[in-house]
Amino acid sequence: MIGRYELERRLHERGGEREVRFLYRDRRPRLPVWRDGRLQVVRWGNGRRQSRLLPPTGWTWQATVEQGYWREIGAVRVEIPATLGCDRGVWFRIRQGVRGILVPDERGIAVAYMICVPSTHYYQVMTRSARMPLLIDEHI
């Protein structure tokens, strides 16, 4: 998997354990996603404006998803496996992963967006961010 998706440069060591970091600020932002029981590594959002149709961000609000904004362009829900998250330089533990959506761009290339919700008070104090990832069966 590491060779297939060219993940070597994303390998890091933390406390003696290897981890693969997927950061939105990477020059080629990618995310791992579980879709239909298969793990894939796909483009994370449209921050580099590779698509003229998709929003130029890597996140979408849960309310936007629920209102059906993404339905017309074929979005499917996915799970983003993660054990750690980083927001504004603050690392935090994740137990089961993060909710996301996967949509095709105009060339049919799969693009993932992380679903976010308004920050809890704790998360906002910790990261100074007004939004937080929608964690799977977990609240921070």
Side-chain angles (χ1 to χ4, degrees), residues 102-114:
L102 194 63
V103 297
D105 70 5
E106 60 267 39
R107 292 168 290 173
I109 296 172
V111 180
Y113 285 83
M114 191 177 292

Side-chain angles (χ1 to χ4, degrees), residues 5-100:
Y5 290 107
E6 301 175 354
L7 302 177
E8 293 87 0
R9 67 178 181 81
R10 297 172 190 268
L11 290 174
H12 294 269
E13 188 171 312
R14 179 190 302 262
E17 292 188 32
R18 292 174 66 181
E19 63 185 24
V20 182
R21 292 183 185 169
F22 296 92
L23 302 173
Y24 188 67
R25 67 176 185 258
D26 279 346
R27 61 184 155 88
R28 293 182 63 211
R30 300 281 185 260
L31 272 179
V33 298
W34 281 108
R35 179 182 181 192
D36 300 329
R38 207 173 117 218
L39 185 62
Q40 300 173 274
V41 178
V42 299
R43 193 172 88 210
W44 181 358
N46 190 32
R48 305 280 187 283
R49 298 181 189 264
Q50 297 101 321
S51 169
R52 287 180 283 146
L53 301 178
L54 298 177
T57 180
W59 292 264
T60 184
W61 289 101
Q62 180 182 24
T64 304
V65 174
E66 291 172 351
Q67 291 165 1
Y69 173 84
W70 295 96
R71 196 174 309 131
E72 292 180 17
I73 55 175
V76 295
R77 290 184 178 253
V78 292
E79 293 184 358
I80 301 163
T83 55
L84 291 170
C86 183
D87 193 347
R88 299 181 186 215
V90 178
W91 289 91
F92 55 94
R93 191 97 179 122
I94 297 174
R95 290 190 198 137
Q96 295 188 42
V98 178
R99 303 268 182 214

